[in-house]
Amino acid sequence: MSTNSTYYIPHKATWPVIGTAGLMTMLAGFANYLNGSSIGQPLMIVGLSVFIVMLVGWFTLQAKESESGMYNHEVGISYRHGMMWFIFSEIVFFAVFFGTLWYTRNLSVPWLGEGATKELLWPTFDAVWPTNGPGKVGGEFEPMGAWGLPFINTLLLLTSGVTCTWAHHGLLAKNRDQLIKGLLATVALGFLFVCFQAIEYHEAYSEMGLTLGSGVYGSTFFMLTGFHGFHVCVGAIILSVVLFRSTKGHFSPENHFAFEAAAWYWHFVDVVWLGLFIFVYLI
Amino acid sequence: MSAAVDEHDHHDDHHDHGPEKGLLRWIITTNHKDIGTLYLLFALTMFFVGGSMAMVIRAELFEPGLQFVDPAFFNSMTTMHALVMVFGAVMPAFVGLANWQIPLMIGAADMALPRMNNMSFWMLVAGVLLLASTLFMEGGAPNGGWTLYPPLVLQPITVGKALPFAVFSVHLLGISSIMGAINIIATIFNMRAPAMKLMDMPLFVWTWLITAFLLIAVMPVFAGAVTMLLTDKFFHTSFFNAAGGGDPVLYEHIFWFFGHPEVYIMILPTFGVASTIIPVFARKPLFGYASMVWATASIAFLSFIVWAHHMFTVGMPIAGELYFMYATMLIAVPTGVKVFNWTATMWKGAMTFETPMLFSIAFVVLFTMGGFTGLMMAIAPADFQYHDTYFIVAHFHYTLVPASVFILMAAGYFWLPKWTGHMYNEKIGQLHFWLSTISVNILFFPQHFLGLAGMPRRIPDYAVQFADWNMISSVGGFIFGASQLLFLYIVIDTIRGGTGEKVSDEVWEDAAKHGLEWTLPSPTPYHTWTTPPTSVPTEHVLDSH
Ligand code: HEM
Ligand SMILES: [Cu+2]
């Protein structure tokens, strides 16, 4: 291990407080918007803009520092720790919604259709999944099948995982062409996934009567797939930045934390989708 | 030792970036000591904000009948008091201690991710600001209890306009805690002096490592739970709505899956500080170092599988009641190991009773009280009587006030001389200790009786048979609240020079045997350990070697 003095410790940081202010403004705006106040939307836009400026500024700074060789091996390890635990926290976040789906399907819905609850409250309720509950909240709906767009999307994401790894091999073999092509394919597949999901949502809302308000089926369906879709967007944007930096000649076989972090994130999003495909669509 | 210290100083001169001048220093700082100070001062402020709310509560409960505030505001006070104390005072105070102490104790130059460190702090401020803003809103602050149970918390009357602010506040506080925790883990694993093996680490570092893991594992759970509250309220989802196939009890499961580990997030670093202070004043190595580490890890593990002891009366299947009852009782085993070890550390020690030690001894005794009432409530059939009464209020206040808060005070007395180079006034410190210890018992002990007699919690008015003990409890509360002003005075006074006596590097007799931080100069220079120490004290782990 090297001495502490070669570990890069920045001495001032202006972006964190700017980003925090942006995020707080955005959330305060959103809360005001939900409460029906007219200053909500402008606040959200201002906050979001500040937040985006922060992201651009901070990441540009990091990229510059990294390329000028300011980060030694230990700094790289700290970043990897950071990314790994961040992804862990995301896994937990998704686990909450998977857990909700499990609890609802296996416990709360069956309980609604048996015993005194059935006899006294909802004698006509049949506790079969998918359901929008004894109150038929949200009206008639058709559940989402697995073998149309969702299956295509599964193939897309799995392929993108392969192209991402192919790009990584290119990076390690100093084959920049392969790196760029691989990333390009990954980003394209990612955005295609998002497009297909948009089409799927459109069909659900316009033709199948399936909405976020379709009882607990609609709630779990849109919450899980929605948060996942959001993560795909974020992942694809991160990969686009990595792609852009690759075309600028950034990264070397020894120094490419940003690529690795983006790839880890992408594989995480991929695995979550497999879970979704099985538990939300298939069974 | 002091020769080594001089070398560091010398080394520092080459590239010493002193602090920025003026206010800006505190806004853009990435220095772990500055950020630690920010956290601690913020927590102290919130301690008094939350404390004022407690004073409102105790004033209203001084006598039966409604005297000062209307019931909705009273309920806002209990809700906000809990949220402010948990998320604004106790948790940030421990993060502040972690920021100051972990790098000093493991020989690291700073935290591993200094910019993120700055952001964690400001996210905390942002979260608390959003929460506090609800106090000034139409409909007032949330008043459905800090647990934010639906359907109550989704009723217009209970939240007014506050709900989305409270939800987003939880998101920001979650981001803050997770970033802080990631930083702590990266620092401990990656910045530790090569000479320090994992099983040489001071227990404060160990307990924080495990706490950080708990934080990352449960803060997203709370974030998910409140997100579903938000969508149920504003986006027509039915997660907690039986008519749509959902279940409000699900919220309780998710909340307590977060909530029980959360209480350990507040107590594990407490254990760590106690295990650091007691050996110094007992002048003995900590008894059973390795068993302390394992007990901490076991408690953390168990904390994930006992959550439904908060829900015994909600109507769980009998198998669930039994499982959660026995699993909860298991926690008493590793907790007992710890209490035994602290006692054994003091056994036949050459003890002296400076203020930090006094607070630590009070912690051992009074925390054990809280643990025992916990065990009583762990018995499911008995909990049907205790649940939602003042008995549980007494339980968790014993585990939080004379435990977590006392140990935070102890940590202040213990390390302030090191940080500032000034000695606090021991006389006033002891006065603070005795006033606090006596009044905290007058405040909370009678609440056991009130609870056993059936007085419900979260209620602004009560039947006359509860009047006497409530009045006594309130008197205790006022004395306790007032005594804390002494602490405020001592902190300010010590920062500004204290007794005027210059403290040595060790501060406490032979402290350097127990921890690396005592080998550094007092006050600690702005940059420390720019070269890692080549040897580490192992007195604290002697027993296990
Ligand atoms: C020996 C270990 C412990 C056991 C067996 C235990 C057991 C329990 C049980 C069974 C309850 C639920 C009572 C009810 O709602 O009827 C409870 C509540 C609570 N405990 Fe503990 N506890 C222990 C330690 C702790 C510690 C160390 C803390 C905090 C530092 C703590 C904080 C709390 C809090 C805050 C509540 C109330 C939550 C609420 O409903 O607002 N407990 N405890
Ligand atoms: Cu608990």
Side-chain angles (χ1 to χ4, degrees):
Chain A
M1 208 186 272
S2 62
T3 62
N4 291 358
S5 45
T6 59
Y7 190 99
Y8 175 59
I9 294 167
H11 286 283
K12 305 169 193 166
T14 35
W15 290 119
V17 70
I18 295 176
T20 306
L23 192 59
M24 187 180 119
T25 312
M26 185 174 91
L27 291 177
F30 191 23
N32 273 304
Y33 167 77
L34 291 174
N35 284 335
S37 149
S38 58
I39 60 159
Q41 263 176 340
L43 272 183
M44 272 164 86
I45 294 169
V46 171
L48 183 65
S49 314
V50 173
F51 191 70
I52 291 174
V53 169
M54 177 280 287
L55 286 177
V56 174
W58 194 339
F59 281 106
T60 310
L61 176 68
Q62 295 281 135
K64 253 193 221 135
E65 290 178 349
S66 169
E67 286 306 307
S68 60
M70 286 162 80
Y71 301 161
N72 67 3
H73 182 65
E74 271 74 37
V75 174
I77 295 183
S78 290
Y79 286 155
R80 281 169 182 78
H81 269 292
M83 193 64 197
M84 207 179 75
W85 288 105
F86 167 64
I87 291 179
F88 177 72
S89 75
E90 291 266 55
I91 292 174
V92 176
F93 186 72
F94 274 101
V96 174
F97 296 102
F98 277 110
T100 298
L101 179 65
W102 179 85
Y103 180 96
T104 308
R105 284 185 65 165
N106 295 297
L107 298 174
S108 69
V109 167
W111 285 338
L112 285 171
E114 67 185 29
T117 315
K118 185 176 177 76
E119 276 161 36
L120 301 175
L121 289 176
W122 289 300
T124 58
F125 176 58
D126 256 343
V128 282
W129 191 261
T131 178
N132 54 356
K136 304 224 176 307
V137 172
E140 288 296 311
F141 73 95
E142 212 183 303
M144 187 60 77
W147 296 111
L149 281 176
F151 183 62
I152 299 176
N153 264 349
T154 309
L155 297 180
L156 289 184
L157 269 198
L158 287 179
T159 318
S160 77
V162 176
T163 55
C164 183
T165 307
W166 188 64
H168 197 184
H169 283 299
L171 173 54
L172 292 178
K174 297 202 174 156
N175 182 345
R176 190 147 297 263
D177 194 47
Q178 181 179 335
L179 166 65
I180 292 175
K181 279 192 185 129
L183 279 173
L184 207 58
T186 315
V187 171
L189 288 166
F191 282 119
L192 197 60
F193 175 96
V194 178
C195 291
F196 280 170
Q197 194 174 27
I199 297 173
E200 179 195 347
Y201 275 19
H202 181 74
E203 269 175 22
Y205 266 78
S206 60
E207 285 156 35
M208 301 160 71
L210 175 59
T211 69
L212 189 56
S214 298
V216 80
Y217 176 78
S219 308
T220 50
F221 175 83
F222 282 104
M223 202 71 149
L224 273 160
T225 58
F227 268 120
H228 176 264
F230 174 71
H231 280 74
V232 175
C233 287
V234 172
I237 292 171
I238 298 176
L239 282 168
S240 310
V241 174
V242 171
L243 171 62
F244 175 72
R245 288 184 57 189
S246 303
T247 63
K248 293 272 168 204
H250 289 197
F251 306 128
S252 67
E254 299 79 38
N255 180 16
H256 56 268
F257 164 71
F259 180 97
E260 246 174 70
W264 290 352
Y265 194 78
W266 195 248
H267 290 310
F268 146 71
V269 169
D270 210 352
V271 171
V272 171
W273 174 259
L274 287 183
L276 287 182
F277 187 68
I278 295 170
F279 293 111
V280 175
Y281 292 96
L282 215 50
I283 57 178
Chain B
M1 261 310 157
S2 66
V5 169
D6 287 341
E7 241 172 66
H8 297 144
D9 282 348
H10 194 70
H11 188 88
D12 269 345
D13 290 343
H14 298 292
H15 62 142
D16 195 6
H17 313 254
E20 189 89 5
K21 297 276 170 298
L23 200 62
L24 197 61
R25 160 181 176 185
W26 299 103
I27 295 175
I28 63 176
T29 182
T30 54
N31 179 286
H32 73 101
K33 300 182 186 79
D34 281 353
I35 295 177
T37 305
L38 284 172
Y39 265 109
L40 288 170
L41 291 180
F42 183 80
L44 190 62
T45 315
M46 285 302 130
F47 178 63
F48 284 100
V49 172
S52 326
M53 295 172 180
M55 294 299 105
V56 174
I57 295 170
R58 280 326 313 174
E60 180 59 52
L61 294 176
F62 189 73
E63 277 175 356
L66 295 178
Q67 2 274 333
F68 302 107
V69 293
D70 75 292
F73 185 74
F74 179 89
N75 287 338
S76 281
M77 285 294 105
T78 57
T79 306
M80 292 292 278
H81 163 72
L83 290 170
V84 166
M85 285 303 200
V86 170
F87 294 102
V90 176
M91 288 169 72
F94 279 116
V95 181
L97 286 182
N99 258 295
W100 256 103
Q101 283 306 123
I102 289 177
L104 297 186
M105 289 173 139
I106 64 172
D110 206 303
M111 297 293 279
L113 302 160
R115 286 186 183 126
M116 194 170 81
N117 203 12
N118 175 291
M119 196 168 197
S120 324
F121 174 74
W122 290 110
M123 285 281 184
L124 163 73
V125 176
V128 170
L129 280 180
L130 278 193
L131 187 66
S133 70
T134 60
L135 280 167
F136 308 99
M137 254 165 225
E138 179 193 335
N143 56 11
W146 78 286
T147 52
L148 305 173
Y149 280 0
L152 179 63
V153 83
L154 301 178
Q155 311 302 311
I157 181 89
T158 340
V159 285
K161 297 195 176 295
L163 184 72
F165 289 91
V167 168
F168 295 143
S169 156
V170 168
H171 289 154
L172 290 176
L173 295 170
I175 295 172
S176 163
S177 296
I178 290 169
M179 289 197 300
I182 289 177
N183 220 334
I184 286 168
I185 294 183
T187 305
I188 294 174
F189 280 128
N190 199 30
M191 307 290 279
R192 209 167 66 247
M196 184 176 274
K197 305 278 163 294
L198 277 179
M199 286 306 267
D200 295 334
M201 294 195 316
L203 262 171
F204 179 68
V205 180
W206 258 116
T207 50
W208 243 118
L209 179 65
I210 292 168
T211 304
F213 169 74
L214 288 182
L215 275 170
I216 304 177
V218 301
M219 288 312 291
V221 176
F222 192 20
V226 295
T227 305
M228 289 189 267
L229 283 182
L230 188 81
T231 58
D232 267 15
K233 173 89 181 169
F234 292 102
F235 298 97
H236 317 293
T237 57
S238 303
F239 291 110
F240 309 130
N241 171 12
D247 184 359
V249 176
L250 172 61
Y251 177 88
E252 299 190 21
H253 281 294
I254 303 176
F255 180 87
W256 287 113
F257 187 83
F258 146 80
H260 188 78
E262 167 65 29
V263 306
Y264 282 93
I265 287 166
M266 293 186 282
I267 206 71
L268 291 183
T270 309
F271 292 168
V273 176
S275 308
T276 309
I277 295 179
I278 292 174
V280 171
F281 294 97
R283 291 169 181 74
K284 274 179 65 194
L286 179 69
F287 186 89
Y289 171 84
S291 67
M292 284 299 217
V293 173
W294 289 112
T296 310
S298 327
I299 292 176
F301 169 74
L302 288 173
S303 75
F304 284 107
I305 55 170
V306 297
W307 74 89
H309 62 220
H310 295 271
M311 304 164 56
F312 282 141
T313 62
V314 89
M316 272 189 296
I318 193 78
E321 302 270 323
L322 288 173
Y323 162 74
F324 283 107
M325 170 163 107
Y326 290 122
T328 302
M329 289 176 174
L330 271 184
I331 299 191
V333 178
T335 313
V337 168
K338 287 191 167 273
V339 173
F340 179 86
N341 285 350
W342 290 317
T343 316
T345 305
M346 290 188 266
W347 183 252
K348 293 194 174 166
M351 294 216 280
T352 51
F353 300 94
E354 287 86 348
T355 314
M357 183 62 163
L358 287 175
F359 272 109
S360 302
I361 295 174
F363 151 77
V364 175
V365 176
L366 297 175
F367 170 74
T368 306
M369 278 279 318
F372 280 144
T373 50
L375 271 178
M376 292 170 70
M377 301 187 305
I379 302 167
D383 189 59
F384 275 65
Q385 170 70 13
Y386 310 142
H387 181 63
D388 262 349
T389 68
Y390 260 80
F391 192 77
I392 152 177
V393 176
H395 156 70
F396 64 74
H397 280 98
Y398 265 90
T399 59
L400 283 166
V401 183
S404 297
V405 172
F406 268 29
I407 280 296
L408 283 167
M409 307 278 179
Y413 288 107
F414 189 54
W415 280 312
L416 260 181
K418 176 86 242 168
W419 300 337
T420 60
H422 307 305
M423 199 57 190
Y424 64 86
N425 184 323
E426 183 68 38
K427 276 220 181 76
I428 309 186
Q430 304 230 352
L431 179 66
H432 172 223
F433 167 76
W434 286 109
L435 278 174
S436 299
T437 304
I438 294 168
S439 60
V440 88
N441 285 291
I442 303 177
L443 166 57
F444 293 122
F445 207 83
Q447 296 185 359
H448 291 116
F449 310 142
L450 287 170
L452 290 178
M455 175 169 160
R457 64 192 284 208
R458 294 169 172 159
I459 220 83
D461 187 8
Y462 48 81
V464 281
Q465 73 263 32
F466 304 128
D468 294 349
W469 288 122
N470 264 302
M471 194 172 284
I472 292 172
S473 177
S474 286
V475 170
F478 300 141
I479 303 176
F480 185 80
S483 318
Q484 301 323 306
L485 296 173
L486 282 177
F487 184 66
L488 183 64
Y489 167 78
I490 291 173
V491 170
I492 296 172
D493 180 58
T494 310
I495 294 174
R496 303 177 76 196
T499 55
E501 146 199 12
K502 171 94 182 78
V503 298
S504 68
D505 291 357
E506 278 197 322
V507 183
W508 311 107
E509 191 187 7
D510 282 344
K513 279 196 205 159
H514 294 270
L516 269 180
E517 73 267 38
W518 308 108
T519 65
L520 293 164
S522 307
T524 21
Y526 196 57
H527 293 289
T528 39
W529 299 131
T530 44
T531 313
T534 47
S535 69
V536 297
T538 46
E539 170 93 358
H540 61 290
V541 299
L542 263 190
D543 249 46
S544 63
H545 277 227

